[in-house]
Amino acid sequence: MDYVASFNFVNKIKWFAEESLTAMTIEAKTKTKKGLYSIEFDKNGALEDLEIDIDFKSIPAPVKLQIIDHLTSNYKRHRIKKTQLQYSGNPEDIRDYLVLSKEKSIIKKYEIVIKAKNESGVHLYEFLFSHTGDLERKSKIIFRNSDNLEY
Amino acid sequence: MSSFIISRKYVTVLLLLFICSFLKGQNNQFGSLSAINLRKGLAKDWKLNFNVTGRQQFARNKLNIEEGYEYLLTDLSVIAAKKTGLNNSLASGYLVRFEKGSTSHRFIEQFTIVSHYNSFRLSHRFRADLTLNKNYAPETRIRYRIAPEIPLSGLAVDEKEFYLKLNNEYLVSFQSDEQDLEIRLVPALGYRITKNNRLEIGLDSRIDSFLNNESRKRFWLVLNWYGIL
């Protein structure tokens, strides 16, 4: 909590505990002028990463082109649903970089959610690209059962 | 926690309003609806939904004649659904209704869209059904239901977590030369027991016949279990 407070966010911070297929995480979310901030911690309180929602168009041109090239060559059709700039590394360095604009050696990546069509149908995928546009991770988003909303 | 308290207050106020409305009315019915929904997943994005619903009357007040407990009907249905997109599905099914002295057969078509937002899910259900009963003229209904599901903790409903669901449905029915509009509102509290099991408890309030006659109000305590085979 102290770490999140040190950002001096103006708007209200919402805390969430989430369970994924592999682990439980604690997330703090708030809106800022730069976009929606999501600060994610593991269950022991160690920072996992900090993500800021951005416009896909704001990614530097060469990186953006490399990402688009990867998506167009692997999917018949795709649509970008969400783009986040992800920061990881030393927590204090991340804060100093974002709050005080100090140059720090932090890890910057792009997390992108796309709706894409391939041979097996239409699916939602989450991609993680390095700051140079190299693919590091891809996972298919599985929706929760929605029977109680359909019947 | 605060949203949970607000939600509890909201549900309590709604309940009180419905009970007051029931006590004041002249054509009201109060009872329970208990349903078991089981889903069986099949290959190629197909699934089958089996449903058993029992309806009981606890009290009825019509033209100042009061009635007490009565077991009203049992519905059995099977619906086959095919995923037609990322968040939508097309379904077709059959329902048989057993009630005192008669049996009805209902044929169902539905299209559902479930949208996923940051902190809730929202479903839109478009349904058409045709009911056949040898004692009555065939009845066709066109229905639209909107239903948000809001987690009471976190961004999504995980195991052992509560959520709120609010169904709001509009039904237009056609039978012989008559048309009617029915409106349903079902606030419910849900609990995800395990990954594959959910329990919901709520109050299903229905109002119809208000276009041409004195309105009929029906209130059902709802207990739904959703499971996966």
mmCIF file of all heavy atoms in Angstrom, chain A residues 29-64:
data_model
loop_
_atom_site.group_PDB
_atom_site.id
_atom_site.type_symbol
_atom_site.label_atom_id
_atom_site.label_comp_id
_atom_site.label_asym_id
_atom_site.label_seq_id
_atom_site.Cartn_x
_atom_site.Cartn_y
_atom_site.Cartn_z
ATOM 1 N N LYS A 29 -5.937 -0.291 -9.015
ATOM 2 C CA LYS A 29 -6.273 0.392 -10.274
ATOM 3 C C LYS A 29 -6.707 1.824 -9.979
ATOM 4 O O LYS A 29 -7.436 2.069 -9.022
ATOM 5 C CB LYS A 29 -7.429 -0.338 -10.984
ATOM 6 C CG LYS A 29 -7.020 -1.655 -11.634
ATOM 7 C CD LYS A 29 -8.201 -2.282 -12.336
ATOM 8 C CE LYS A 29 -7.840 -3.591 -12.983
ATOM 9 N NZ LYS A 29 -7.074 -3.445 -14.222
ATOM 10 N N THR A 30 -6.281 2.716 -10.842
ATOM 11 C CA THR A 30 -6.733 4.099 -10.722
ATOM 12 C C THR A 30 -6.612 4.795 -12.073
ATOM 13 O O THR A 30 -5.846 4.372 -12.938
ATOM 14 C CB THR A 30 -5.925 4.865 -9.645
ATOM 15 O OG1 THR A 30 -6.542 6.139 -9.428
ATOM 16 C CG2 THR A 30 -4.485 5.086 -10.052
ATOM 17 N N LYS A 31 -7.401 5.856 -12.235
ATOM 18 C CA LYS A 31 -7.345 6.622 -13.487
ATOM 19 C C LYS A 31 -6.422 7.811 -13.304
ATOM 20 O O LYS A 31 -6.454 8.489 -12.265
ATOM 21 C CB LYS A 31 -8.747 7.127 -13.846
ATOM 22 C CG LYS A 31 -9.604 6.075 -14.506
ATOM 23 C CD LYS A 31 -10.957 6.637 -14.872
ATOM 24 C CE LYS A 31 -11.853 5.542 -15.407
ATOM 25 N NZ LYS A 31 -13.239 5.951 -15.496
ATOM 26 N N THR A 32 -5.619 8.077 -14.320
ATOM 27 C CA THR A 32 -4.744 9.251 -14.299
ATOM 28 C C THR A 32 -4.853 9.943 -15.663
ATOM 29 O O THR A 32 -5.489 9.418 -16.568
ATOM 30 C CB THR A 32 -3.266 8.859 -14.081
ATOM 31 O OG1 THR A 32 -2.785 8.247 -15.273
ATOM 32 C CG2 THR A 32 -3.088 7.915 -12.914
ATOM 33 N N LYS A 33 -4.181 11.087 -15.774
ATOM 34 C CA LYS A 33 -4.191 11.796 -17.054
ATOM 35 C C LYS A 33 -3.502 10.975 -18.142
ATOM 36 O O LYS A 33 -3.807 11.077 -19.318
ATOM 37 C CB LYS A 33 -3.484 13.145 -16.913
ATOM 38 C CG LYS A 33 -4.348 14.185 -16.212
ATOM 39 C CD LYS A 33 -3.593 15.481 -16.069
ATOM 40 C CE LYS A 33 -4.384 16.467 -15.235
ATOM 41 N NZ LYS A 33 -3.596 17.656 -14.888
ATOM 42 N N LYS A 34 -2.537 10.119 -17.715
ATOM 43 C CA LYS A 34 -1.800 9.297 -18.682
ATOM 44 C C LYS A 34 -2.621 8.100 -19.145
ATOM 45 O O LYS A 34 -2.311 7.477 -20.153
ATOM 46 C CB LYS A 34 -0.498 8.787 -18.043
ATOM 47 C CG LYS A 34 0.576 9.844 -17.914
ATOM 48 C CD LYS A 34 1.834 9.195 -17.333
ATOM 49 C CE LYS A 34 2.917 10.225 -17.089
ATOM 50 N NZ LYS A 34 4.060 9.648 -16.371
ATOM 51 N N GLY A 35 -3.633 7.748 -18.373
ATOM 52 C CA GLY A 35 -4.444 6.566 -18.705
ATOM 53 C C GLY A 35 -4.745 5.766 -17.449
ATOM 54 O O GLY A 35 -4.409 6.182 -16.338
ATOM 55 N N LEU A 36 -5.352 4.606 -17.635
ATOM 56 C CA LEU A 36 -5.703 3.755 -16.495
ATOM 57 C C LEU A 36 -4.463 2.997 -16.017
ATOM 58 O O LEU A 36 -3.813 2.317 -16.802
ATOM 59 C CB LEU A 36 -6.802 2.775 -16.925
ATOM 60 C CG LEU A 36 -7.337 1.848 -15.849
ATOM 61 C CD1 LEU A 36 -8.209 2.607 -14.855
ATOM 62 C CD2 LEU A 36 -8.156 0.728 -16.470
ATOM 63 N N TYR A 37 -4.122 3.160 -14.736
ATOM 64 C CA TYR A 37 -2.974 2.469 -14.156
ATOM 65 C C TYR A 37 -3.441 1.171 -13.498
ATOM 66 O O TYR A 37 -4.451 1.156 -12.786
ATOM 67 C CB TYR A 37 -2.343 3.324 -13.047
ATOM 68 C CG TYR A 37 -1.241 4.249 -13.483
ATOM 69 C CD1 TYR A 37 -1.458 5.208 -14.455
ATOM 70 C CD2 TYR A 37 0.028 4.178 -12.897
ATOM 71 C CE1 TYR A 37 -0.439 6.082 -14.839
ATOM 72 C CE2 TYR A 37 1.044 5.043 -13.266
ATOM 73 C CZ TYR A 37 0.801 5.994 -14.232
ATOM 74 O OH TYR A 37 1.801 6.857 -14.607
ATOM 75 N N SER A 38 -2.694 0.089 -13.728
ATOM 76 C CA SER A 38 -2.937 -1.171 -13.002
ATOM 77 C C SER A 38 -1.602 -1.599 -12.407
ATOM 78 O O SER A 38 -0.651 -1.854 -13.148
ATOM 79 C CB SER A 38 -3.429 -2.262 -13.939
ATOM 80 O OG SER A 38 -4.592 -1.863 -14.596
ATOM 81 N N ILE A 39 -1.548 -1.647 -11.083
ATOM 82 C CA ILE A 39 -0.305 -2.053 -10.423
ATOM 83 C C ILE A 39 -0.553 -3.419 -9.800
ATOM 84 O O ILE A 39 -1.432 -3.567 -8.944
ATOM 85 C CB ILE A 39 0.122 -1.022 -9.349
ATOM 86 C CG1 ILE A 39 0.146 0.391 -9.971
ATOM 87 C CG2 ILE A 39 1.480 -1.371 -8.784
ATOM 88 C CD1 ILE A 39 0.449 1.498 -8.991
ATOM 89 N N GLU A 40 0.198 -4.401 -10.259
ATOM 90 C CA GLU A 40 -0.090 -5.781 -9.861
ATOM 91 C C GLU A 40 1.005 -6.338 -8.959
ATOM 92 O O GLU A 40 2.196 -6.207 -9.260
ATOM 93 C CB GLU A 40 -0.218 -6.629 -11.135
ATOM 94 C CG GLU A 40 -0.926 -7.947 -10.898
ATOM 95 C CD GLU A 40 -1.291 -8.633 -12.219
ATOM 96 O OE1 GLU A 40 -1.735 -7.934 -13.142
ATOM 97 O OE2 GLU A 40 -1.123 -9.848 -12.297
ATOM 98 N N PHE A 41 0.563 -6.966 -7.870
ATOM 99 C CA PHE A 41 1.490 -7.559 -6.904
ATOM 100 C C PHE A 41 1.202 -9.051 -6.770
ATOM 101 O O PHE A 41 0.058 -9.482 -6.990
ATOM 102 C CB PHE A 41 1.308 -6.919 -5.520
ATOM 103 C CG PHE A 41 1.475 -5.428 -5.507
ATOM 104 C CD1 PHE A 41 0.383 -4.585 -5.724
ATOM 105 C CD2 PHE A 41 2.726 -4.855 -5.290
ATOM 106 C CE1 PHE A 41 0.533 -3.211 -5.713
ATOM 107 C CE2 PHE A 41 2.877 -3.468 -5.281
ATOM 108 C CZ PHE A 41 1.786 -2.655 -5.493
ATOM 109 N N ASP A 42 2.219 -9.821 -6.363
ATOM 110 C CA ASP A 42 1.927 -11.222 -6.066
ATOM 111 C C ASP A 42 1.330 -11.307 -4.661
ATOM 112 O O ASP A 42 1.191 -10.283 -3.969
ATOM 113 C CB ASP A 42 3.173 -12.112 -6.248
ATOM 114 C CG ASP A 42 4.269 -11.836 -5.222
ATOM 115 O OD1 ASP A 42 3.977 -11.174 -4.193
ATOM 116 O OD2 ASP A 42 5.409 -12.258 -5.443
ATOM 117 N N LYS A 43 0.978 -12.527 -4.226
ATOM 118 C CA LYS A 43 0.268 -12.638 -2.938
ATOM 119 C C LYS A 43 1.135 -12.234 -1.740
ATOM 120 O O LYS A 43 0.629 -11.995 -0.650
ATOM 121 C CB LYS A 43 -0.286 -14.051 -2.755
ATOM 122 C CG LYS A 43 0.741 -15.135 -2.695
ATOM 123 C CD LYS A 43 0.078 -16.490 -2.519
ATOM 124 C CE LYS A 43 1.143 -17.572 -2.504
ATOM 125 N NZ LYS A 43 0.585 -18.899 -2.421
ATOM 126 N N ASN A 44 2.475 -12.150 -1.959
ATOM 127 C CA ASN A 44 3.361 -11.717 -0.869
ATOM 128 C C ASN A 44 3.616 -10.212 -0.887
ATOM 129 O O ASN A 44 4.361 -9.691 -0.065
ATOM 130 C CB ASN A 44 4.699 -12.463 -0.978
ATOM 131 C CG ASN A 44 4.508 -13.952 -0.855
ATOM 132 O OD1 ASN A 44 3.778 -14.431 0.023
ATOM 133 N ND2 ASN A 44 5.138 -14.704 -1.754
ATOM 134 N N GLY A 45 3.010 -9.529 -1.865
ATOM 135 C CA GLY A 45 3.140 -8.073 -1.921
ATOM 136 C C GLY A 45 4.273 -7.587 -2.807
ATOM 137 O O GLY A 45 4.534 -6.379 -2.874
ATOM 138 N N ALA A 46 4.972 -8.506 -3.480
ATOM 139 C CA ALA A 46 6.064 -8.098 -4.380
ATOM 140 C C ALA A 46 5.482 -7.604 -5.702
ATOM 141 O O ALA A 46 4.563 -8.222 -6.241
ATOM 142 C CB ALA A 46 7.011 -9.266 -4.621
ATOM 143 N N LEU A 47 6.029 -6.504 -6.200
ATOM 144 C CA LEU A 47 5.509 -5.939 -7.456
ATOM 145 C C LEU A 47 5.766 -6.886 -8.625
ATOM 146 O O LEU A 47 6.883 -7.358 -8.824
ATOM 147 C CB LEU A 47 6.188 -4.588 -7.737
ATOM 148 C CG LEU A 47 5.743 -3.907 -9.029
ATOM 149 C CD1 LEU A 47 4.341 -3.304 -8.888
ATOM 150 C CD2 LEU A 47 6.732 -2.835 -9.461
ATOM 151 N N GLU A 48 4.709 -7.182 -9.390
ATOM 152 C CA GLU A 48 4.891 -7.995 -10.601
ATOM 153 C C GLU A 48 5.096 -7.078 -11.800
ATOM 154 O O GLU A 48 6.040 -7.224 -12.539
ATOM 155 C CB GLU A 48 3.678 -8.892 -10.820
ATOM 156 C CG GLU A 48 3.593 -9.994 -9.777
ATOM 157 C CD GLU A 48 2.765 -11.169 -10.225
ATOM 158 O OE1 GLU A 48 1.906 -11.001 -11.106
ATOM 159 O OE2 GLU A 48 2.973 -12.260 -9.666
ATOM 160 N N ASP A 49 4.195 -6.125 -11.978
ATOM 161 C CA ASP A 49 4.370 -5.134 -13.039
ATOM 162 C C ASP A 49 3.405 -3.981 -12.841
ATOM 163 O O ASP A 49 2.500 -4.038 -12.007
ATOM 164 C CB ASP A 49 4.178 -5.766 -14.435
ATOM 165 C CG ASP A 49 2.857 -6.463 -14.610
ATOM 166 O OD1 ASP A 49 1.817 -5.839 -14.324
ATOM 167 O OD2 ASP A 49 2.851 -7.639 -15.031
ATOM 168 N N LEU A 50 3.636 -2.940 -13.630
ATOM 169 C CA LEU A 50 2.733 -1.785 -13.642
ATOM 170 C C LEU A 50 2.319 -1.573 -15.090
ATOM 171 O O LEU A 50 3.178 -1.535 -15.981
ATOM 172 C CB LEU A 50 3.460 -0.564 -13.087
ATOM 173 C CG LEU A 50 2.639 0.716 -12.925
ATOM 174 C CD1 LEU A 50 3.241 1.577 -11.816
ATOM 175 C CD2 LEU A 50 2.563 1.543 -14.205
ATOM 176 N N GLU A 51 1.016 -1.496 -15.318
ATOM 177 C CA GLU A 51 0.537 -1.359 -16.701
ATOM 178 C C GLU A 51 -0.286 -0.079 -16.848
ATOM 179 O O GLU A 51 -1.061 0.275 -15.961
ATOM 180 C CB GLU A 51 -0.323 -2.563 -17.081
ATOM 181 C CG GLU A 51 0.482 -3.858 -17.138
ATOM 182 C CD GLU A 51 -0.378 -5.100 -17.255
ATOM 183 O OE1 GLU A 51 -1.547 -5.072 -16.845
ATOM 184 O OE2 GLU A 51 0.146 -6.128 -17.749
ATOM 185 N N ILE A 52 -0.093 0.576 -17.989
ATOM 186 C CA ILE A 52 -0.872 1.782 -18.291
ATOM 187 C C ILE A 52 -1.570 1.567 -19.630
ATOM 188 O O ILE A 52 -0.923 1.180 -20.617
ATOM 189 C CB ILE A 52 0.040 3.039 -18.377
ATOM 190 C CG1 ILE A 52 0.859 3.197 -17.092
ATOM 191 C CG2 ILE A 52 -0.797 4.289 -18.624
ATOM 192 C CD1 ILE A 52 1.935 4.275 -17.173
ATOM 193 N N ASP A 53 -2.896 1.788 -19.649
ATOM 194 C CA ASP A 53 -3.639 1.675 -20.908
ATOM 195 C C ASP A 53 -3.190 2.773 -21.863
ATOM 196 O O ASP A 53 -3.158 3.951 -21.478
ATOM 197 C CB ASP A 53 -5.156 1.838 -20.650
ATOM 198 C CG ASP A 53 -5.762 0.593 -20.037
ATOM 199 O OD1 ASP A 53 -4.994 -0.223 -19.477
ATOM 200 O OD2 ASP A 53 -6.985 0.429 -20.113
ATOM 201 N N ILE A 54 -2.873 2.391 -23.072
ATOM 202 C CA ILE A 54 -2.464 3.384 -24.082
ATOM 203 C C ILE A 54 -3.199 3.118 -25.391
ATOM 204 O O ILE A 54 -3.828 2.074 -25.555
ATOM 205 C CB ILE A 54 -0.925 3.363 -24.340
ATOM 206 C CG1 ILE A 54 -0.490 1.966 -24.813
ATOM 207 C CG2 ILE A 54 -0.156 3.805 -23.129
ATOM 208 C CD1 ILE A 54 0.895 1.928 -25.419
ATOM 209 N N ASP A 55 -3.067 4.065 -26.305
ATOM 210 C CA ASP A 55 -3.617 3.886 -27.649
ATOM 211 C C ASP A 55 -2.564 3.133 -28.467
ATOM 212 O O ASP A 55 -1.380 3.501 -28.437
ATOM 213 C CB ASP A 55 -3.888 5.276 -28.244
ATOM 214 C CG ASP A 55 -4.644 5.199 -29.561
ATOM 215 O OD1 ASP A 55 -4.676 4.098 -30.152
ATOM 216 O OD2 ASP A 55 -5.169 6.228 -29.988
ATOM 217 N N PHE A 56 -3.003 2.102 -29.183
ATOM 218 C CA PHE A 56 -2.049 1.312 -29.983
ATOM 219 C C PHE A 56 -1.249 2.212 -30.926
ATOM 220 O O PHE A 56 -0.068 1.978 -31.169
ATOM 221 C CB PHE A 56 -2.806 0.243 -30.772
ATOM 222 C CG PHE A 56 -1.911 -0.647 -31.596
ATOM 223 C CD1 PHE A 56 -1.161 -1.647 -30.992
ATOM 224 C CD2 PHE A 56 -1.801 -0.474 -32.964
ATOM 225 C CE1 PHE A 56 -0.310 -2.463 -31.745
ATOM 226 C CE2 PHE A 56 -0.961 -1.277 -33.725
ATOM 227 C CZ PHE A 56 -0.217 -2.279 -33.114
ATOM 228 N N LYS A 57 -1.913 3.259 -31.435
ATOM 229 C CA LYS A 57 -1.260 4.163 -32.398
ATOM 230 C C LYS A 57 -0.064 4.888 -31.778
ATOM 231 O O LYS A 57 0.790 5.392 -32.490
ATOM 232 C CB LYS A 57 -2.270 5.205 -32.901
ATOM 233 C CG LYS A 57 -3.333 4.614 -33.802
ATOM 234 C CD LYS A 57 -4.353 5.681 -34.145
ATOM 235 C CE LYS A 57 -5.567 5.068 -34.823
ATOM 236 N NZ LYS A 57 -6.721 5.967 -34.789
ATOM 237 N N SER A 58 -0.039 4.974 -30.438
ATOM 238 C CA SER A 58 1.046 5.727 -29.789
ATOM 239 C C SER A 58 2.344 4.924 -29.673
ATOM 240 O O SER A 58 3.365 5.455 -29.241
ATOM 241 C CB SER A 58 0.591 6.191 -28.400
ATOM 242 O OG SER A 58 0.461 5.071 -27.543
ATOM 243 N N ILE A 59 2.317 3.651 -30.055
ATOM 244 C CA ILE A 59 3.546 2.840 -30.012
ATOM 245 C C ILE A 59 4.493 3.346 -31.111
ATOM 246 O O ILE A 59 4.043 3.640 -32.226
ATOM 247 C CB ILE A 59 3.206 1.341 -30.236
ATOM 248 C CG1 ILE A 59 2.308 0.830 -29.099
ATOM 249 C CG2 ILE A 59 4.466 0.490 -30.350
ATOM 250 C CD1 ILE A 59 1.811 -0.588 -29.274
ATOM 251 N N PRO A 60 5.791 3.440 -30.830
ATOM 252 C CA PRO A 60 6.748 3.914 -31.858
ATOM 253 C C PRO A 60 6.596 3.124 -33.166
ATOM 254 O O PRO A 60 6.419 1.898 -33.140
ATOM 255 C CB PRO A 60 8.108 3.671 -31.216
ATOM 256 C CG PRO A 60 7.844 3.695 -29.751
ATOM 257 C CD PRO A 60 6.470 3.157 -29.558
ATOM 258 N N ALA A 61 6.669 3.833 -34.292
ATOM 259 C CA ALA A 61 6.349 3.262 -35.610
ATOM 260 C C ALA A 61 7.048 1.935 -35.930
ATOM 261 O O ALA A 61 6.371 0.983 -36.353
ATOM 262 C CB ALA A 61 6.617 4.296 -36.680
ATOM 263 N N PRO A 62 8.376 1.815 -35.749
ATOM 264 C CA PRO A 62 9.012 0.542 -36.121
ATOM 265 C C PRO A 62 8.488 -0.653 -35.307
ATOM 266 O O PRO A 62 8.307 -1.748 -35.827
ATOM 267 C CB PRO A 62 10.498 0.773 -35.826
ATOM 268 C CG PRO A 62 10.660 2.206 -35.521
ATOM 269 C CD PRO A 62 9.336 2.777 -35.223
ATOM 270 N N VAL A 63 8.228 -0.401 -34.004
ATOM 271 C CA VAL A 63 7.725 -1.461 -33.120
ATOM 272 C C VAL A 63 6.301 -1.829 -33.537
ATOM 273 O O VAL A 63 5.937 -3.010 -33.645
ATOM 274 C CB VAL A 63 7.746 -0.987 -31.642
ATOM 275 C CG1 VAL A 63 7.272 -2.087 -30.710
ATOM 276 C CG2 VAL A 63 9.122 -0.504 -31.257
ATOM 277 N N LYS A 64 5.533 -0.796 -33.799
ATOM 278 C CA LYS A 64 4.131 -1.002 -34.203
ATOM 279 C C LYS A 64 4.062 -1.832 -35.492
ATOM 280 O O LYS A 64 3.269 -2.773 -35.592
ATOM 281 C CB LYS A 64 3.482 0.372 -34.413
ATOM 282 C CG LYS A 64 1.987 0.340 -34.569
ATOM 283 C CD LYS A 64 1.375 1.713 -34.405
ATOM 284 C CE LYS A 64 1.990 2.735 -35.317
ATOM 285 N NZ LYS A 64 1.500 4.084 -35.103
#
